[in-house]
Amino acid sequence: MRCIVCFIVLFSFLCLRGNAQGIEFSTYESETIQKTSYSVFDENPLTFKHDFTIAYDLAIHDYGSFGYIFRLKDSKNENSDIYSFVFSYDNNERSYLKFNIETKECLVADTLCNKNLGPRRWIPIKIFFSLKDDSVCLTINKRKYHAGKLGLPKEMTPSIMFGSSRFSEEIPSFAIRNLVVSDTYQQIEFPLNENAGTLVHDNQGKVRGKAINPVWLINRFYYWNLLHSQSSETTAGYNYDAQSGNFVYFNSDSLYTLDIRRSKWEGYKHEPFPMKMYLGTNFLHPDTHSAYIYEVDNRMDSCTICSLNILTGETNKVDTKFLSSQRHHHSSYLDTIQNKFYIFGGFGLRKYTNTLEVYDLNQKTWNTVKLKGDFVAPRFFSSMGALNPDELFLFGGTGNSSGDQSLGKIYYYDLYKINLQDSTVKKVRDYSYTGIQIVPVRNLILSDDKTAFYTLCYPMQEASSYLQLYKFSLQNDSYEVLGNSIPMDSKAILSNANLYYNKDTKELYCCTQEFDEHGGESSVTQFYSLSAPAIAKDALFLYSTEQNLSWYFAAIGGVAALVLFIGIGYYLKSRKVKQPISKVIRYKAHTPLDEERTSRANALYLFGEFTILDKKGRDITYLFSSKIKQLFLLTFLNTIGDKEGITSSYIYGLLWPEKDLSSAKNLKGVTINRLRKILDDLEGIELIYANSRYSIKLLDNFYCDYQRFLEQIDRMRQSNASQEVSQVLIGILSRGKFLKSVDDSMFDTFKSEQEDELHKMLMIEMNNLYAKATYEQAIQLAEIWLKVDPLNDMALWYMLNACHKLKREDQAMKKYYLYIAEYNKSMGNNYPYSYSDIIHNDLRISFQ
């Protein structure tokens, strides 16, 4: 039985490996980060005879960019031609993909329409090299091009390099997926489903290639990405425009558009509404390009439904009719064919309802649909979506069979099908849900194959709640939990969330809207994206280390012998034979370096990429929008050490200098509240306000690498550096430069002070290590120093001389030539010292 379980686990693992994702190529280059490059076969290229094919999907993210997508050369012939595939921008309307024999001629030039380019807009590419016929066939999105008489050899060992290389530094902003290299006899598939590291595996789990500075797309199928956050002092509404693929957002006087493709937020003033918005409930009609804002119970106003044209900002009064009671957290569906808008359930006047109401846009009337068939208990927080134009799905919610709030509530995980033609209701199933009680958001999304539906669920009874994506099967009562969670404060009855889907780009979107819990109109709306199909956490971590997974191949071999061993196992069991089991336990010494590199719960990292982990060890960095991160860092950096924190006027001047005092106060209040809610998920860190200053309080159970760094500096001031101090510092600094990706000028002083302190410390530490002949550690620290300051002569001197002492001349020479290449490129002139100068002369005084 145990063998069978192992087989099932292994089979599931193999299935997970088949989920291809992709790699994005970063065009950004800094002192410590290189542009992305990907060597398909790295140092072990394959030899092909007769022919071979390279096939993959390509997405051009920014059509205004230019550069090499890949280069191909016969690795066994230094004088062979180089074939390159280049993306070239022409104008705002069109661009080109060019296949060239480098420095000689362009073989193919394919025209692309820029409006069809962008993230998740995949173009199938296939390049067939016929060595036998001395020709190449290039297929770009079903468009075929041929070229012959190329002078191809009869046998080729191609080196295939995507992105940046020492021969092609210019690269466009692009991504690839579904890479396959094949010939008549073999086919090697690259799922590109790594989530971290540099080693690239084929679909059998074997390490084949290497990627430098990769952006692994699989993370976008698990981690929700915060696109934009918007606050409003008055009631606001939002919706998703499926035609344009953009979000629309509006309040009492302004209309905004979030262009997801261009990451652009634009807005202008619209005409005054003929009604007052209380809830912001609305539906977007694609035919009229209008958002219809409605209040189901608006006895205080002469208008209950109005329209807002999202293209022109024009507003119109639509109707004055209303329902008999409020319907908080009802579900809804718009029938664009019949021009009818349906809402189901809701809560009002201390009652849960189970009626289906329909508003006819043509007749301008509200009517109650008389449902027949299976009974649906009164409820709110249910979810609704269309199976087809005539049938709706209704899922979940909370309420009770009487509808009386005083009798308490039951959480439902049932699914119903509502036929709009004959008004019949049929119960489909109850899901076998176990866990904390949850409710879904207003809408559900049917999967592309119509075998399941997606919705977001959350424990609405928790004040500081979180949304989680669920996939419910339509074939049985099973479900899956996908992606990471999204925080949402659900204390206020008006707070809500919705789920949307873009079929063209295969992206899920989530919007959360959090209202003032004390009944005010102010709200904060957050927009998120997640690539589809979303994945579970197990699918994210397929490769536990950057080493070849030899156990994986051993497991495959084990499966081949499984049948034989099952038979032997049953035979031994029947004879009651017990075999002794020997166990070998290997211990690895724990070092301070391991401690500093290990991710932990309740931790903040300021060296390298800004990262923060909550009390469960989850990465919650994505919760920090630009303003929240700025506020947090300003407060933290002005608290640590002997500093006392920051005042409100200091915050206004740096974060919202263009705003008047009233607006700045509101924005500060919203941002402070958001920061407090995020910090609630951590232990040992607190944002406090005392003596008219904001500050960050840290306890011993909270880890911060910058605080640890300062502690080590203090130890060095008090005594000579020890090897333990060196290891701790190496562990901290190995993450990268202090506030590496934070470019705001307001932090320049902090960076400068830290760099000065670091330089002084490294000078002392390196001298001590070298004097004690601890050359291995000296090399490690010099490596770190060069990451922080790539043109530092002193770090180079210690690096080369420590290598020389250990008789590692090859390593020293390689480091020297890499250094002078960077120096010549950055400084525009040749480096003045030769390798011999540095090795045979003590130039430390000159370098200082």
Side-chain angles (χ1 to χ4, degrees), residues 233 648-649 651-652 656 659-673 694:
E233 296 179 6
S648 293
S649 58
I651 296 173
Y652 302 150
W656 297 285
K659 299 291 185 181
D660 58 57
L661 183 59
S662 177
S663 298
K665 283 183 178 179
N666 176 66
L667 291 170
K668 184 206 72 174
V670 170
T671 309
I672 288 283
N673 288 335
Y694 289 95

Side-chain angles (χ1 to χ4, degrees), residues 480-690:
E480 292 180 84
V481 181
L482 306 173
N484 68 332
S485 59
I486 300 173
M488 189 180 83
D489 193 335
S490 60
K491 288 194 287 283
I493 185 66
L494 303 185
S495 296
N496 65 83
N498 282 283
L499 181 68
Y500 306 97
Y501 180 56
N502 187 323
K503 291 184 178 180
D504 294 330
T505 62
K506 305 292 184 185
E507 284 184 304
L508 290 162
Y509 302 119
C510 166
C511 287
T512 66
Q513 189 174 36
E514 301 171 12
F515 280 84
D516 183 349
E517 63 176 303
H518 302 296
E521 296 180 352
S522 63
S523 63
V524 177
T525 305
Q526 311 257 33
F527 302 87
Y528 298 87
S529 69
L530 180 72
S531 295
I535 61 172
K537 189 173 184 178
D538 290 344
L540 184 66
F541 303 102
L542 296 182
Y543 311 104
S544 58
T545 69
E546 289 199 353
Q547 300 174 356
N548 195 358
L549 300 180
S550 57
W551 64 267
Y552 171 70
F553 298 107
I556 294 177
V559 171
L562 185 61
V563 176
L564 175 63
F565 287 122
I566 287 176
I568 294 174
Y570 278 116
Y571 173 74
L572 293 174
K573 183 178 180 181
S574 65
R575 298 255 334 248
K576 297 184 179 181
V577 176
K578 295 185 179 180
Q579 300 292 338
I581 300 174
S582 62
K583 183 181 292 186
V584 178
I585 302 176
R586 291 183 175 89
Y587 294 96
K588 181 180 178 183
H590 178 77
T591 69
L593 178 58
D594 298 325
E595 178 186 345
E596 299 307 322
R597 284 178 172 170
T598 302
S599 295
R600 64 194 78 194
N602 296 309
L604 168 66
Y605 297 92
L606 298 184
F607 284 89
E609 296 295 333
F610 172 82
T611 305
I612 189 163
L613 307 177
D614 69 6
K615 58 189 175 185
K616 295 181 179 179
R618 297 178 300 186
D619 188 339
I620 59 170
T621 311
Y622 66 94
L623 299 179
F624 285 76
S625 64
S626 176
K627 288 298 182 187
I628 294 176
K629 183 192 294 185
Q630 288 173 348
L631 177 63
F632 173 73
L633 288 175
L634 281 174
T635 310
F636 181 80
L637 294 173
N638 281 284
T639 300
I640 200 163
D642 298 328
K643 299 173 183 176
E644 299 179 350
I646 55 176
T647 62
S648 293
S649 58
Y650 185 81
I651 296 173
Y652 302 150
L654 285 177
L655 298 190
W656 297 285
E658 76 287 356
K659 299 291 185 181
D660 58 57
L661 183 59
S662 177
S663 298
K665 283 183 178 179
N666 176 66
L667 291 170
K668 184 206 72 174
V670 170
T671 309
I672 288 283
N673 288 335
R674 290 295 302 161
L675 178 57
R676 288 189 192 278
K677 291 170 188 174
I678 294 172
L679 297 183
D680 283 343
D681 285 333
L682 295 101
E683 295 175 349
I685 183 171
E686 183 181 1
L687 175 65
I688 60 177
Y689 183 73

